[in-house]
Amino acid sequence: MEDEQLVTVEKSLDVRDYVRVFRQHWLGVVALTLIGILCSAGWIFLQKPVYAANSIGYVSIPGGDNMGSALAGDNLAKSKATSYASFGSSRPVAESVIKTLNLDVKPDVLLQQITVTSAKDTPEVKIVATAQTPQEAQALANAWVVALAEQVKVLESTTDAGPEAGAESIIKVVPLGDAPLPLAPTSPNKKMALVIGALAGLIIGIAYALIRNHLDRRIRSVEMVEKAIGTAVVGTIPVDERMRDGRRVVANAVIDHSSTEGYAISEALRELRTNLHYMNVDNPPRVIVITSSIPSEGKSTIAANLAVTIAATGQKVVLIDGDLRRPVVADFFGLAGGGGLTDILSGQAELDDVLQVYGPVPSLAVLGAGRIPPNPSELLGSLAMKRLLERLSKEAVVLIDAPPLLPVTDAAILARSTDGALIVAGAGKTTIDELEKAVATLAKVKAPLLGAVLNRVPTTGGQAAGYGYYGKGYYYGQNDAAKAGKRNRKTQASTPAPEGIQQGVNNGGPGAGKEMSAEQEFDLLLHPADGPPTRRMTRQR
């Protein structure tokens, strides 16, 4: 029971979560608030105006010659005012007004337009009459106080037999002038109606945002991911329009300062590279599986661009296409397909036969998937795969593009033989439930989890703040970008690329000034004691 309460507390929203929810759904909240105001305006338009006129009757009782008599008369007048207020809402008064004004209405209906009250500790009777026009309200108020005075005269007249029978009563209700003509309607109250409509719409909008946030399990912030999987988000990759036309490698060894979009994704990839290195400074991960929970989350694109980013530092990198069901890595780099990982594991080819160097970044070699086998899981979990990874990781960082975790078990099997897995999740697409299931799949096989990478993170709008992005202008303004681009082009023309990152197929390698190909340079670092390879199948389009 305590554990359930703890989970409930952990998943409750704090102030930052409420702010994030509002920023994400502010359009809906504002729209519903406006709808509430429009509904109030429509209600006001449909209502007929109501005017109110006030008339006052004064209860008069002549006082005596001394102070005691005057005080007694005043107290009696106050008491009578209270009783006359009740009598003022009676049918006899209403019938008298109907006759006076020649109205075609029933007394009970007319009484609904009248309110008669008496002020506390005063001999005044206040009459409020309502009607659809100011003149009708004024006439009704004046007629009502006169009718009340007449009814009081009849009520208080002496009816006892004797010489004074039928004499007028000394207690009277005196009208205090005519009721003023109302200048503005009392109903509907336009300001109050609009405020109430706005508040009602705002409340409904907030409820809509909270309900939608509760039902919408898609990833909306870094905090959501970290709370769900219990580990850090090691990278947030922004949306890049260049990837919308198809899969491609957008990172390279040269930083393009002339493009704010290119700079943003390059900076995000370098941040991911740094975070991976500082997970364990003395012993950073050398073999990393890059996977996702479901297909189409951009894991292959992240793997390809991260490999280029790491290789840009001069560090040797081998990118393996471990997705033996839907291989795409070779196509990303424009390399030849055919032989690859499955040929090595089945003993039909050697590593040097199928390992291909990416020409623009010679520190990067790509190992394609090869022929699609009928038993991918068995091949990836084989002893030959473990030995291959051990061999490659001695001289290079190995990145493996693995299949999604939920549809198949390939990635979980691979992760057991590596330093850990990175789970790529699509911002605004992947659900927390899917991510939790993917992490649970790794936990079942006791595979280490290095962290999560959020892909296609929005850089503008209210949703950007949840991921730590505040627009493209965060890096620099457009004018600064143009200036930086000019400086960068001049620098590229005058400054050679660092050793090991020079573009082109032929590079000056570490071998005593001799010209050697990019493939030979990479193999020389993988096999420093062997010298340039003698057997190699280089296939690059």
Side-chain angles (χ1 to χ4, degrees):
M1 185 68 180
E2 294 180 356
D3 294 337
E4 293 179 357
Q5 294 177 352
L6 180 61
V7 171
T8 302
V9 172
E10 290 179 350
K11 292 187 177 182
S12 62
L13 296 177
D14 56 19
V15 176
R16 291 181 301 174
D17 293 327
Y18 284 112
V19 173
R20 174 183 55 80
V21 171
F22 177 78
R23 289 176 65 95
Q24 292 174 354
H25 304 291
W26 69 271
L27 282 175
V29 175
V30 172
L32 289 172
T33 303
L34 293 177
I35 290 174
I37 296 175
L38 292 176
C39 290
S40 297
W43 178 83
I44 293 172
F45 179 77
L46 295 175
Q47 297 301 309
K48 295 181 178 180
V50 176
Y51 294 85
N54 302 325
S55 62
I56 298 176
Y58 185 81
V59 179
S60 174
I61 299 178
D65 296 334
N66 53 52
M67 183 64 67
S69 298
L71 183 61
D74 183 65
N75 291 334
L76 179 60
K78 293 177 182 179
S79 176
K80 288 292 185 179
T82 303
S83 61
Y84 292 161
S86 299
F87 181 68
S89 300
S90 63
R91 288 178 62 90
V93 178
E95 291 172 351
S96 177
V97 172
I98 291 174
K99 291 180 181 179
T100 302
L101 298 179
N102 193 22
L103 300 177
D104 185 15
V105 64
K106 294 183 179 180
D108 293 336
V109 176
L110 188 62
L111 285 172
Q112 296 178 1
Q113 300 178 232
I114 301 297
T115 303
V116 183
T117 59
S118 63
K120 186 178 181 181
D121 295 331
T122 65
E124 295 180 354
V125 179
K126 183 178 180 180
I127 299 169
V128 179
T130 59
Q132 294 182 359
T133 65
Q135 294 76 14
E136 291 178 0
Q138 184 186 42
L140 185 59
N142 291 332
W144 202 275
V145 71
V146 172
L148 176 61
E150 293 176 353
Q151 292 298 321
V152 169
K153 182 188 296 185
V154 175
L155 182 66
E156 298 292 345
S157 295
T158 302
T159 57
D160 295 338
E164 297 183 355
E168 292 185 0
S169 172
I170 61 174
I171 304 176
K172 299 179 181 180
V173 174
V174 181
L176 297 182
D178 292 337
L181 184 69
L183 301 178
T186 58
S187 176
N189 190 332
K190 297 181 180 179
K191 293 183 179 179
M192 182 62 68
L194 292 175
V195 170
I196 293 176
L199 290 176
L202 180 61
I203 293 173
I204 296 174
I206 293 174
Y208 155 80
L210 294 176
I211 293 174
R212 183 172 177 181
N213 178 75
H214 177 72
L215 298 178
D216 185 4
R217 300 287 291 170
R218 292 176 295 177
I219 294 173
R220 296 297 184 183
S221 68
V222 171
E223 289 77 10
M224 287 180 63
V225 176
E226 293 179 342
K227 288 180 180 179
I229 65 178
T231 188
V233 173
V234 296
T236 52
I237 311 300
V239 173
D240 194 308
E241 294 294 336
R242 295 172 295 175
M243 294 183 182
R244 294 189 183 276
D245 296 333
R247 303 184 179 118
R248 58 177 295 177
V249 178
V250 297
N252 52 53
V254 180
I255 301 173
D256 184 9
H257 291 276
S258 62
S259 170
T260 56
E261 194 170 62
Y263 188 90
I265 192 170
S266 298
E267 187 65 29
L269 289 167
R270 287 195 295 275
E271 181 182 1
L272 174 58
R273 177 188 66 193
T274 302
N275 290 339
L276 290 175
H277 177 77
Y278 281 98
M279 285 182 177
N280 189 342
V281 179
D282 296 328
N283 187 24
R286 302 281 294 178
V287 183
I288 302 173
V289 169
I290 300 177
T291 181
S292 61
S293 55
I294 57 176
S296 302
E297 294 189 84
K299 63 173 182 61
S300 299
T301 304
I302 297 300
N305 287 278
L306 178 60
V308 173
T309 303
I310 296 176
T313 63
Q315 170 70 53
K316 291 300 159 182
V317 180
V318 176
L319 176 61
I320 300 177
D321 193 343
D323 192 344
L324 304 184
R325 303 171 190 269
R326 296 177 59 184
V328 294
V329 171
D331 293 336
F332 277 19
F333 291 92
L335 301 176
L341 177 62
T342 56
D343 299 283
I344 297 176
L345 299 181
S346 62
Q348 298 180 13
E350 295 294 332
L351 177 62
D352 293 338
D353 296 331
V354 293
L355 191 64
Q356 303 180 72
V357 171
Y358 182 48
V361 186
S363 300
L364 171 63
V366 178
L367 181 59
R371 299 177 180 85
I372 298 178
N375 55 344
S377 299
E378 287 75 6
L379 280 179
L380 295 175
S382 64
L383 183 60
M385 183 66 183
K386 295 181 181 178
R387 290 175 178 173
L388 176 63
L389 295 179
E390 291 175 358
R391 175 185 173 185
L392 293 174
S393 62
K394 290 180 181 179
E395 300 294 338
V397 173
V398 181
L399 301 181
I400 307 173
D401 175 30
L405 284 163
L406 297 185
V408 293
T409 61
D410 300 8
I413 294 174
L414 268 175
R416 292 188 58 184
S417 305
T418 66
D419 295 327
L422 287 177
I423 298 181
V424 177
K429 176 185 177 183
T430 309
T431 65
I432 290 295
D433 298 328
E434 291 168 341
L435 192 59
E436 289 176 344
K437 291 178 181 179
V439 173
T441 300
L442 292 176
K444 289 179 181 179
V445 298
K446 298 181 180 180
L449 174 63
L450 297 179
V453 177
L454 294 184
N455 191 28
R456 305 188 187 102
V457 171
T459 57
T460 58
Q463 297 182 1
Y467 304 102
Y469 278 92
Y470 300 91
K472 298 176 183 178
Y474 172 81
Y475 297 100
Y476 40 63
Q478 293 182 355
N479 294 333
D480 295 335
K483 295 178 181 179
K486 293 180 181 179
R487 290 195 301 268
N488 183 59
R489 286 189 289 271
K490 292 180 180 179
T491 303
Q492 292 179 22
S494 59
T495 305
E499 182 179 354
I501 316 179
Q502 298 175 16
Q503 298 190 18
V505 178
N506 295 324
N507 298 273
K514 294 181 179 180
E515 293 288 339
M516 65 177 62
S517 67
E519 294 86 348
Q520 291 173 329
E521 181 184 355
F522 190 92
D523 277 347
L524 183 60
L525 291 180
L526 278 182
H527 312 286
D530 299 341
T534 57
R535 186 162 62 91
R536 179 96 177 164
M537 185 172 68
T538 303
R539 296 174 297 178
Q540 180 173 350
R541 294 174 185 169

